[in-house]
């Protein structure tokens, strides 16, 4: 090998990545060639001179602004989770109140019906039908509400069903007897 | 005993803010310095440090430890650094073609020049800055982060032999650039 090839192999020689034959050839050459010996020193010295470029400290504001960005993100995450949960609870609560309201109406109307010469038996049947209808009503409304909720991104608004709609539903109930 | 990075990641996944702070404190300096040495711009290095840890936070939900944590971490930093280079529309990217071998006559005498620490530092920065970018990244990871060639290969997405070739060539170039320089004592 000539000097150029020897020098090209010096980093691999220093990394101990050459074959035994290559190592012997390089070491024999280095015994007699000043230029290649100098190059060998230059390779290791320059690599160690790279240490003159020492580490820099991270600016404090970089860390601080990162941490404040992270805590903002966490708050947003909480809002994303908490809002839909709160909205769902409000809907369930509202439906429960309405369901209770229907039940009470039914109970009140039983004695009213009996004063209108209706039999107790008849009134009982009406109440069962009422409850069955209410279950259907409740399920449909619940799923409508959930559907509405998932279609809204972050700020779900809970809308009350309109009054006229409620009246229509009420008037169609079999318990209303005049 | 110090908690491992992977254990910290598991806690971050559960929303543990303290674990994130520990991980940040442990790695922010090496992330910042890798970006700073590679890009040479403190503001860009700051951005990269912040983006790296925001990505880690985001990825913590799906993180599964397949490699060493630092390999994953440095891969994120490396990708962000090369993105910055692309956004600078740098032409010095990144094929093996532009990784040249230096001329190596090396026969003339080089008188030893004694220079100050800060002069040596500037010369080193200049010499590393002249390397092709792929070579620079390999040199920085090897010299300043003490990584083995196989880990550098995993970070850079190339073969171990390609890393060796880059570092060996870089050593020859740097030897020429820095030959004969000695720090004053
Ligand atoms: Zn020679």
């Amino acid at each position: 090998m000539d000097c150029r090839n020897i020098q090209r192999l010096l980093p691999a020689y220093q990394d101990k990545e050459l074959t035994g034959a290559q190592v012997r050839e390089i070491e024999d050459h280095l015994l007699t060639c000043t230029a290649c010996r100098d190059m060998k020193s230059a390779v290791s010295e320059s690599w160690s001179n790279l240490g003159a470029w020492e580490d820099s400290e991270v600016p404090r504001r970089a860390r601080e602004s990162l941490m404040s960005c992270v805590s903002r993100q966490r708050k947003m995450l909480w809002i994303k989770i908490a809002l839909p949960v709160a909205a769902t609870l409000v809907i369930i609560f509202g439906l429960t109140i309405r369901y209770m309201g229907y039940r009470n109406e039914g109970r009140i109307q039983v004695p009213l019906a009996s004063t209108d010469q209706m039999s107790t038996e008849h009134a009982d049947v009406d109440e069962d039908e009422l409850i069955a209808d209410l279950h259907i009503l409740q399920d449909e409304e619940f799923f409508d509400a959930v559907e509405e909720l998932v279609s809204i991104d972050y700020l779900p608004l809970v809308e009350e069903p309109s009054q006229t709609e409620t009246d229509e539903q009420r008037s169609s109930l079999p318990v209303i007897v005049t | 005993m110090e908690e491992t990075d992977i254990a910290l990641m598991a806690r971050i996944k559960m929303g543990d803010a303290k674990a994130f702070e520990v991980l940040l404190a442990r790695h922010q300096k090496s992330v910042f310095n890798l970006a700073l040495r590679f890009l040479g711009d403190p503001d860009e290095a700051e951005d990269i440090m912040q983006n790296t840890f925001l990505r880690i936070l985001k990825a913590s939900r799906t993180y599964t430890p397949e490699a060493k944590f630092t390999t994953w971490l440095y891969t994120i930093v490396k990708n962000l650094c090369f993105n910055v280079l692309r956004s600078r529309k740098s032409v010095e990217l990144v094929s093996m073609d532009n990784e040249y071998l230096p001329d190596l006559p090396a026969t003339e005498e080089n008188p030893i020049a004694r220079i100050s620490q800060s002069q040596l530092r500037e010369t080193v920065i200049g010499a590393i800055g002249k390397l092709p970018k792929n070579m620079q990244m390999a040199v920085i990871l090897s010299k300043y982060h003490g990584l083995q060639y196989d880990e550098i290969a995993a970070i850079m997405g190339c073969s171990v032999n390609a890393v060796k070739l880059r570092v060996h060539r870089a050593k020859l170039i740097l030897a020429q650039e820095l030959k004969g320089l000695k720090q004053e004592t």
Side-chain angles (χ1 to χ4, degrees):
Chain A
M1 281 191 281
D2 60 8
C3 289
R4 186 187 160 86
N5 283 324
I6 294 285
Q7 291 183 9
R8 279 182 58 172
L9 289 176
L10 286 173
Y13 168 74
Q14 289 171 332
D15 277 354
K16 297 185 167 49
E17 285 173 355
L18 299 180
T19 63
Q22 285 172 312
V23 169
R24 271 191 302 280
E25 188 173 356
I26 287 173
E27 287 178 347
D28 287 348
H29 183 93
L30 289 175
L31 286 175
T32 59
C33 179
T34 317
C36 287
R37 270 207 307 276
D38 286 350
M39 188 61 182
K40 179 174 165 264
S41 313
V43 169
S44 41
E45 274 169 20
S46 64
W47 192 249
S48 110
N49 272 339
L50 297 190
W53 192 1
E54 73 290 356
D55 276 350
S56 302
E57 290 301 321
V58 181
R60 177 183 285 198
R61 66 165 186 282
R63 184 191 165 91
E64 284 169 356
S65 71
L66 172 63
M67 288 313 294
S68 71
C69 180
V70 167
S71 74
R72 266 202 311 279
Q73 281 193 357
R74 276 182 197 282
K75 277 180 199 148
M76 283 307 296
L77 188 67
W78 270 111
I79 290 169
K80 277 186 203 172
I81 294 169
L83 268 182
V85 169
T88 308
L89 288 175
V90 165
I91 288 168
I92 291 170
F93 181 71
L95 289 172
T96 309
I97 294 291
R98 281 185 54 186
Y99 174 69
M100 297 306 286
Y102 281 132
R103 278 184 69 104
N104 288 340
E105 268 177 47
R107 286 210 183 105
I108 292 161
Q109 281 166 357
V110 172
L112 281 177
S114 65
T115 55
D116 283 334
Q117 314 301 313
M118 285 182 69
S119 72
T120 309
E121 192 186 340
H122 192 184
D124 282 343
V125 170
D126 281 353
E127 191 178 29
D128 286 345
E129 280 174 14
L130 165 65
I131 291 167
D133 283 347
L134 276 173
H135 277 305
I136 292 163
L137 178 67
Q138 192 181 19
D139 286 350
E140 279 174 356
E141 280 200 345
F142 178 76
F143 284 115
D144 284 351
V146 169
E147 212 165 285
E148 196 179 351
L149 183 64
V150 296
S151 71
I152 297 167
D153 244 357
Y154 301 125
L155 292 169
L157 296 169
V158 183
E159 284 179 25
E160 283 296 323
S162 70
Q163 194 58 44
T164 50
E165 190 190 358
T166 311
D167 290 344
E168 271 170 29
Q169 283 162 351
R170 263 182 212 172
S171 65
S172 69
L173 293 172
V175 76
I176 308 298
V177 182
T178 48
Chain B
M1 206 179 77
E2 200 179 53
E3 200 170 3
T4 65
D5 294 325
I6 288 171
L8 288 173
M9 283 301 287
R11 280 171 55 199
I12 293 169
K13 191 178 191 170
M14 305 306 287
D16 186 336
K18 188 76 201 153
F20 180 75
E21 282 187 49
V22 173
L23 196 80
L24 176 64
R26 190 178 290 173
H27 295 292
Q28 60 172 356
K29 194 169 176 181
S30 62
V31 168
F32 177 73
N33 277 283
L34 172 56
L36 181 62
R37 287 195 176 99
F38 186 71
L39 296 169
D41 182 312
D43 292 335
E44 285 175 337
E46 256 180 55
D47 286 348
I48 291 210
M49 195 276 280
Q50 292 170 336
N51 280 332
T52 300
F53 283 97
L54 288 175
R55 279 176 190 228
I56 286 173
L57 189 63
K58 200 173 170 192
S60 66
R61 278 169 246 159
T62 53
Y63 175 75
T64 46
E66 280 159 8
K68 249 173 92 175
F69 175 79
T70 46
T71 305
W72 183 61
L73 173 71
Y74 287 133
T75 304
I76 296 172
V77 182
K78 183 263 309 181
N79 289 339
L80 291 172
C81 282
F82 276 90
N83 286 349
V84 169
L85 279 193
R86 272 180 217 111
S87 72
R88 285 180 187 169
K89 298 194 171 32
S90 170
V91 290
E92 56 200 328
L93 289 177
V94 237
S95 73
M96 289 296 287
D97 299 339
N98 63 5
E99 290 185 29
Y100 52 89
L101 265 182
D103 293 330
L104 296 171
T107 43
E108 79 271 26
E109 285 291 307
N110 277 80
I112 288 170
R114 303 255 166 208
I115 57 175
S116 69
Q117 203 276 338
S118 68
Q119 282 174 309
L120 181 59
R121 179 178 183 276
E122 292 311 308
T123 314
V124 164
I125 293 173
I128 291 180
K130 284 187 204 166
L131 298 173
K133 280 295 176 185
N134 266 342
M135 228 185 246
Q136 252 183 57
M137 182 56 79
V139 165
I140 293 167
L141 289 171
S142 171
K143 174 66 190 179
Y144 298 104
H145 298 268
L147 301 189
Q148 303 295 312
Y149 293 151
D150 57 349
E151 198 176 350
I152 298 172
I155 291 162
M156 299 191 66
C158 64
S159 69
V160 177
N161 274 335
V163 173
K164 281 182 191 170
L165 197 65
R166 284 169 198 172
V167 174
H168 290 167
R169 286 182 180 187
K171 281 184 174 182
L172 294 173
I173 297 169
L174 293 168
Q176 296 242 311
E177 293 283 336
L178 304 172
K179 189 156 46 178
L181 297 181
K182 285 233 184 334
Q183 193 183 321
E184 289 168 340
T185 46

